[in-house]
Each structure stands twice: as C-alpha cells, then as structure tokens.
Amino acid sequence: MTSAFTSLPEPRYPDPSDAPALRWGVIAPGGIAADFTDALHKHTRQRVVAAGSRTAERAAAFAAAHGVDRSYGSYEQLVSDADVDVVYVASPHTQHTEHALLAIAAGKHVLIEKPMAVTAADAQLIADAARAAGVFAMEAMWTRYLPQTDIVRQLLDDGAFGDVRVVTADFGGSARFDPASRLFDPALAGGALLDLGVYVVSWASFALGSPASVIATGSLAPTGVDEQVALILSSATGAQALLSTGLRAGTPSLATISGSTGRVETDSPFWSASGVRFYDGDGRLAAHWVDPYGRPHREGMSYEAAALARYVTEGLTDSPLQPLDEAIATLATLDEARRQVGVADLGVGSSEGR
C-alpha cells in the first residue's frame, strides 16, 4: 500500500513575520495578554500600541513592562484610540461579550480569547454585531493557525485519511480546588469545559464538523462547576469523537484522527506547537513531523495574530480556517455538555486578566 504521508505538504504560513503590520489594543492586561503581546513583539511586525484596564495604574504597569506606547484607565478610552486597528479581548470569558461588543461598536476589528463567549447565544450576539458593523471578528483558537495544524488540514482536504471514523482528544490539568478561583467559581463561568474543553471540542469540529449528537458524563466540583467530563460526539455519518477534559488531573494532551487509509497522532501538547506522526492504513509510521520553528507554547499565539492581519488586509470579515459560525457551534456543543453533566448556572461575574 502506498502511503499518502511519505511526502508531507509544507505549512503554508510558517513565518508570522510575513504578515502585514497592524496596530493592536489590549483589553484586560493579565497573564494571557502579556504572553500574547510578547509573542507579537518577538515574532511579528505587528505591535500592541495601547493597553486598557479598569485602573490607570494597572494599564501603565503593563505598558511599561511590555513595550506598549499608551495606556488607558478605561476600556472606552482604549477602543476610542484612532491608532488602534484591532482589539484583543483578553478578559475572562464572562466579559467577552461585553468587551467585544464595545470594541465592535467603536469600529474595531476584534480577536476574542477562547471561548468566544460563555454561551452560543452570546457568541451569536458578537457575530451579528460584527457583521452589521462590517468589522473582522475571530475567536482566538490559536491551535487552528499552527503550522502542524495546516499540514493536517491539507491532508484532510486531500482525503489522505480516507473515510474519517474516529477522533480523539484530551486536555486535563491538575488545579488545587479554590472556590474563589476563576476555574471553580460559577459566577465566573468556571469549569473544565469552558477553560480546557473548548480545545478538544474544537479539534473534533476541525476533523468532523459540528456533531449530530452529544453525549456527556462527568462530575461537578463542590461549587457546582464541571470538574471532569467525558464526551462522545457523533456525526451524521456515524463517525465519533471521544473527548475528555478535567481540572483535577493532568492528562497527556494528545489528539488523533483515524480514517480508513491512515491516521495522525499529535505529539504533546496537541494545542500548541509540538509535532505530528502519520501512519498508513497498515499502521506503519510513515512520517514524523516535529515543529522546527522555535515558537513554543504561547509564543504560538503569533500565528493567529498573523492570520488575522492577513485576513483584515484582504478585506475579509471572517476567518476561513474557523468561521464565526463554527465557533458558535462549538459553544453550542459545550452548552449541551454542561447541561448534561448538571451545571445549573452559566454565571455572570467580574474579574480582570487571566
């Protein structure tokens, strides 16, 4: 049997510095905003030119630490900055809808940290507003824009795996139970599914599309948020995705796609730059691609920013690699999984930075 994987396609956008330069504003200068800003400045020609916080002191400290020109003590001031082309919404997900709508109303393009919102209905509000305003909006599912994902995408598009039947992914972390932390606080929409599970459900969507049925089982933390969840997502053709996520035990963070003529298995972790192994239909290892580019962990967020810059420059208002409708469908799956495991309240809260 001739393997389709002996000569792998090349990643189409391996260098994020090739993307056009945009000027970014950051809402909520916490840990993920810091990593995003540093990744942009290290690996792209784009620049974060403004940071906004609820306090002028926090915004100024972030700006000084990360080479940002201007800082503002309110989000309204940030989105009103005429020199900002696009706003990165880095606040906790309970605030994504409010902050994305604020930026869109100011005519700014938006990149919204995952999950795009707490519920599919809220994500739809963002999508509707962006489309009405004619601005670009995208969920920051950075895994979709990694070079390794582009190799797998090209092979999927070419039918190299044949009839895809089984998809797997896991992402679990070990977190000490703290009822006041964002992970376990229902008022902040805590729980495994919205924090880590969005990655595994998005991987299944990447391989199979939106599911025709969702089966979820799991356990709740004492605060009522989902603590550990296993999912079976079935497609209209009968293909299945077997997924798991949780907050109390670290798991390998591996993902696979298996079809009638071959399969792919990622290295760990699948959600950031690592590597991929390709097996032919007889189960023989045909190729092992290891990321050579030196942008590990959250430095890989530079790829999603580069993709957004290309799309905006091309006049697009939606990502061709993960359209808004797909991000909304992923949240609909998470909505249903949370309902099935017994999460009682989606929650609304207020906290800044992650």
Side-chain angles (χ1 to χ4, degrees):
M1 180 180 294
T2 301
S3 172
F5 311 123
T6 53
S7 179
L8 296 176
E10 293 293 325
R12 286 170 284 195
Y13 297 102
D15 187 355
S17 70
D18 289 342
L22 295 183
R23 301 166 299 179
W24 291 74
V26 169
I27 279 181
I32 198 166
D35 290 342
F36 178 85
T37 300
D38 292 345
L40 254 67
H41 291 177
K42 183 176 181 179
H43 296 297
T44 81
R45 295 188 294 120
Q46 304 178 67
R47 286 296 177 267
V48 175
V49 299
S53 175
R54 288 195 303 265
T55 68
E57 294 78 12
R58 184 172 186 185
F62 180 91
H66 299 282
V68 176
D69 294 337
R70 296 182 298 284
S71 62
Y72 297 106
S74 78
Y75 301 139
E76 290 78 10
Q77 288 177 301
L78 173 77
V79 301
S80 297
D81 188 329
D83 290 333
V84 169
D85 300 312
V86 54
V87 171
Y88 172 55
V89 177
S91 48
H93 38 257
T94 47
Q95 299 175 355
H96 286 179
T97 302
E98 174 190 354
H99 295 158
L101 293 177
L102 180 71
I104 291 167
K108 305 300 185 185
H109 306 297
V110 286
L111 176 66
I112 309 152
E113 255 312 320
K114 78 208 85 57
M116 191 165 79
V118 171
T119 66
D122 283 348
Q124 188 68 58
L125 291 175
I126 296 171
D128 290 346
R131 288 163 179 159
V135 299
F136 185 93
M138 185 172 104
E139 182 183 55
M141 181 50 69
W142 56 306
T143 305
R144 289 293 181 95
Y145 304 92
L146 297 173
Q148 68 200 36
T149 308
D150 189 52
I151 295 173
V152 178
R153 179 182 293 106
Q154 291 180 68
L155 291 170
L156 278 170
D157 289 346
D158 290 342
F161 302 102
D163 183 18
V164 175
R165 301 303 298 170
V166 179
V167 173
T168 70
D170 71 273
F171 191 179
S174 180
R176 181 181 63 84
F177 176 70
D178 177 1
S181 77
R182 69 171 186 86
L183 290 176
F184 293 100
D185 186 350
L188 299 178
L193 283 165
L194 287 178
D195 191 67
L196 306 180
V198 64
Y199 285 94
V200 300
V201 173
S202 182
W203 175 264
S205 178
F206 166 63
L208 296 176
S210 298
S213 69
V214 177
I215 299 173
T217 184
S219 59
L220 302 180
T223 52
V225 304
D226 51 288
E227 183 177 68
Q228 185 167 314
V229 183
L231 304 95
I232 301 174
L233 310 183
S234 297
S235 73
T237 63
Q240 293 179 317
L242 312 176
L243 314 172
S244 68
T245 188
L247 299 175
R248 303 304 296 276
T251 65
S253 289
L254 300 172
T256 70
I257 300 171
S258 298
S260 56
T261 58
R263 74 179 189 271
V264 59
E265 300 178 359
T266 70
D267 293 343
S268 178
F270 78 89
W271 37 264
S272 73
S274 55
V276 280
R277 299 170 190 264
F278 299 92
Y279 295 83
D280 63 24
D282 295 325
R284 291 186 294 254
L285 179 65
H288 182 198
W289 185 88
V290 178
D291 187 280
Y293 301 116
R295 302 180 186 101
H297 305 298
R298 284 182 172 176
E299 290 185 29
M301 291 191 290
S302 57
Y303 292 108
E304 67 182 358
L308 183 147
R310 294 187 194 99
Y311 301 152
V312 167
T313 302
E314 293 167 6
L316 302 182
T317 55
D318 205 351
S319 167
L321 301 190
Q322 191 200 20
L324 290 170
D325 286 344
E326 184 183 353
I328 294 165
T330 292
L331 270 166
T333 299
L334 294 171
D335 287 348
E336 176 59 17
R338 295 171 78 212
R339 185 194 67 79
Q340 289 187 27
V341 301
V343 177
D345 186 3
L346 296 180
V348 177
S350 179
S351 180
E352 181 178 61
R354 289 201 276 173

